[in-house]
Amino acid sequence: MAQRNGGGKRGDGKMRGGGQFATRMGVVAVTVGSAVGLGNIWRFPFEAGAGGGGAFLLLNVIMVLVVGVPVVCAEFIIGRHTGASATSAFRKLVGERRGRIWGLVGASGLLASVLILGFYSVVAGWTLEYAVTAAGEGFGGKNAADLHERFGAMSADPLRAVGWTLAFLVINYAVLRRGVEKGIERMANVLMPLLFLILAAFCVNSLLLPGTGEGLRFLFEPDFSKITPRVVLSAMGQAFFSLSLGLGCLITYSSYFPKNVPLVRTASMTAGLDLLVAVMAGVVIFPAVFTFGQEVAAGPRLVFEVLPSIFGGMPGGRVWGVLFFLLLAMASLTSTVSMSEISIAWLTREKGMSRRKAVNVNMAVATVLGVMCALSFGCINGWRVCDLTVFELFDFVASNVLLPLGGMMISVFVGWVLSRGVVRSELIQGTVHRSGKQMGCVVSAIVFCLRWVAPVCIAIVFVAGLID
Ligand code: PHE
């Protein structure tokens, strides 16, 4: 049950769930591990493709800098200061009664986490299917039209689509059930740098393709005529999604941070690495899109049609393909485990459920939502709200509505409600390389962003994007 603990609580009397991260490196690795996933490698390229390439990238970078980094800091401040997870942290800070309103952040995070889990599992299922295909028949000798047809046939076939989604969910379930997340994290800390290296090798490969010039121009040269309020909203949604921001995930993670972790630096490094991986994915995808005559605005299927055409033409493409898709599935697993933990923590801590039962409930909900998303490419493709399929609707509502709203509340809370002393001391602790004066400026800049820039920016983009 949640602790009743009103008033400003000092950092030293914390209740910690499962110990602390041993090293500063561990803190960065785990935070980056949650951030890096399908959001960078699958979602960023297709959102950028649909949003005009360079224009989308520019907007995304701006959103990460002016909204993303400050809100990551805000989640870190709340988490480390209370040592509690999202659902109880607010109550711990402002007391039971006022905590109720702020508990809305927890509720919207909870809803967002299950919606994301639904469509994320479908895409993670596709990566498993592609890994198996790469190992078996391979992708050699297939042109753009073949790959397009192949993806269409796989995603529209109810048995295959649902089967692979369930296969992924069962793996996720097994990890949660055995409580081996720590083991998964440790494995991920070894495998994620490998994914990074492979991505770097693919970048080199793509830079040698005939369509490189056109691809890079598309990704890096902003065409300002492509900027619409809806594209700005997507760029903001992408920043939130990719940083696992606005649903309280980072509050929970940072509740395990030791006091000597510098929060601003950790937030900046996470954002920087996360952006880097997304840009690298873009550098891999877009030259290939133009070389093989594929469509930039293909949507969720983009990466699944473009990557195989790269593997098909690479020496040792089969091995690269298997390795890449398996590592991507692994990166997805670290993300789905952290999403699942949001509802599991709520069920066990707030509803008094046993962990076993909570994991079962999470799996049941994820199965229903995942199956709906999987089928939305085939037999229930006609079920639409505002022309969006179930899959697209879940993504839109979670990424472009719930995460930014959660982020806005978190930013208002830290900017206006939490005492300035707490904010300052959390931001300053652990920094060794900066003078007091420099840190004073950094703290003022972050507080200014949290009070004014982030909330106003989110509100304007949100309203303009929705009515566009
Ligand atoms: N940030 C993850 C990714 O980029 C997705 C995610 C969103 C994970 C929300 C946890 C919570 O793939």
Side-chain angles (χ1 to χ4, degrees):
M1 291 299 279
Q3 266 197 323
R4 191 179 260 272
N5 211 340
K9 183 90 174 70
R10 289 269 305 282
D12 34 32
K14 291 173 186 175
M15 286 279 297
R16 289 200 188 272
Q20 292 188 353
F21 294 123
T23 60
R24 285 204 209 175
M25 237 354 257
V27 166
V28 177
V30 168
T31 317
V32 173
S34 155
V36 172
L38 291 171
N40 311 64
I41 293 168
W42 160 76
R43 201 174 185 280
F44 174 80
F46 91 70
E47 285 284 343
F56 183 89
L57 176 60
L58 179 70
L59 291 169
N60 187 237
V61 171
I62 295 174
M63 288 299 172
V64 168
L65 291 179
V66 301
V67 181
V69 174
V71 180
V72 173
C73 289
E75 289 208 19
F76 282 174
I77 292 170
I78 298 175
R80 184 164 74 177
H81 185 68
T82 56
S85 61
T87 37
S88 53
F90 292 96
R91 241 175 302 156
K92 220 168 163 180
L93 287 167
V94 293
E96 196 73 38
R97 202 172 52 82
R98 281 173 69 206
R100 284 233 176 99
I101 301 173
W102 297 103
L104 279 176
V105 176
S108 99
L110 198 63
L111 179 60
S113 74
V114 289
L115 293 180
I116 296 175
L117 191 55
F119 71 84
Y120 209 90
S121 313
V122 176
V123 184
W126 296 341
T127 64
L128 291 178
E129 205 264 1
Y130 272 68
V132 170
T133 308
E137 60 182 284
F139 298 108
K142 296 214 166 35
N143 63 22
D146 299 333
L147 291 168
H148 181 72
E149 206 187 294
R150 187 187 182 285
F151 180 84
M154 184 239 359
S155 58
D157 178 347
L159 275 183
R160 274 159 85 193
V162 171
W164 286 108
T165 304
L166 291 181
F168 180 81
L169 279 173
V170 167
I171 300 174
N172 186 53
Y173 177 74
V175 172
L176 294 166
R177 186 64 186 264
R178 286 157 173 250
V180 291
E181 294 100 304
K182 287 274 171 307
I184 288 288
E185 261 158 30
R186 240 171 274 143
M187 222 158 96
N189 289 348
V190 180
L191 295 178
M192 290 309 102
L194 190 62
L195 180 66
F196 188 80
L197 288 181
I198 293 187
L199 207 56
F202 289 172
C203 281
V204 175
N205 180 72
S206 274
L207 292 176
L208 301 172
L209 293 174
T212 300
E214 214 176 332
L216 295 186
R217 232 172 294 127
F218 178 77
L219 179 61
F220 293 112
E221 243 177 49
D223 171 358
F224 293 100
S225 69
K226 292 276 163 40
I227 298 181
T228 62
R230 190 50 80 88
V231 171
V232 186
L233 179 63
S234 305
M236 182 167 81
Q238 172 62 20
F240 275 93
F241 185 90
S242 193
L243 289 169
S244 317
L245 204 54
L247 37 52
C249 236
L250 298 181
I251 297 185
T252 310
Y253 271 148
S254 54
S255 66
Y256 303 116
F257 284 6
K259 279 288 176 202
N260 67 352
V261 168
L263 297 187
V264 183
R265 231 177 84 179
T266 308
S268 319
M269 272 173 74
T270 306
L273 280 169
D274 191 60
L275 258 182
L276 178 67
V277 176
V279 171
M280 281 166 77
V283 170
V284 173
I285 297 292
F286 291 112
V289 167
F290 290 101
T291 304
F292 300 108
Q294 284 155 327
E295 195 196 326
V296 278
R301 61 192 161 84
L302 177 73
V303 171
F304 287 90
E305 291 180 15
V306 177
L307 282 173
S309 53
I310 300 178
F311 302 142
M314 258 170 106
R318 184 172 291 234
V319 179
W320 285 112
V322 176
L323 206 61
F324 184 78
F325 282 120
L326 282 183
L327 287 174
L328 194 52
M330 181 77 196
S332 315
L333 191 60
T334 54
S335 295
T336 51
V337 162
S338 68
M339 273 169 230
S340 308
E341 277 300 339
I342 296 181
S343 47
I344 293 171
W346 179 70
L347 289 171
T348 52
R349 292 184 197 174
E350 308 273 317
K351 298 284 155 210
M353 216 179 250
S354 70
R355 181 170 170 97
R356 212 185 149 139
K357 220 168 163 188
V359 173
N360 289 344
V361 171
N362 174 268
M363 173 71 178
V365 174
T367 303
V368 173
L369 300 181
V371 167
M372 283 170 71
C373 289
L375 293 178
S376 73
F377 288 83
C379 45
I380 61 167
N381 191 260
W383 294 13
R384 282 167 190 259
V385 178
C386 301
D387 207 33
L388 300 175
T389 62
V390 176
F391 181 102
E392 290 162 342
L393 183 72
F394 283 12
D395 184 5
F396 185 86
V397 171
S399 315
N400 294 357
V401 180
L402 296 173
L403 301 188
L405 286 185
M408 179 151 100
M409 285 188 77
I410 289 167
S411 128
V412 168
F413 182 83
V414 174
W416 295 96
V417 180
L418 200 59
S419 93
R420 186 67 76 89
V422 169
V423 175
R424 183 183 299 275
S425 78
E426 285 295 340
L427 287 178
I428 289 178
Q429 268 183 66
T431 43
V432 281
H433 300 301
R434 303 213 182 278
S435 69
K437 199 164 163 218
Q438 273 174 330
M439 266 330 276
C441 292
V442 172
V443 171
S444 306
I446 289 178
V447 170
F448 180 74
C449 280
L450 290 175
R451 288 193 146 197
W452 300 104
V453 185
V456 171
C457 179
I458 295 172
I460 294 175
V461 172
F462 184 68
V463 173
L466 283 190
I467 54 182
D468 185 23

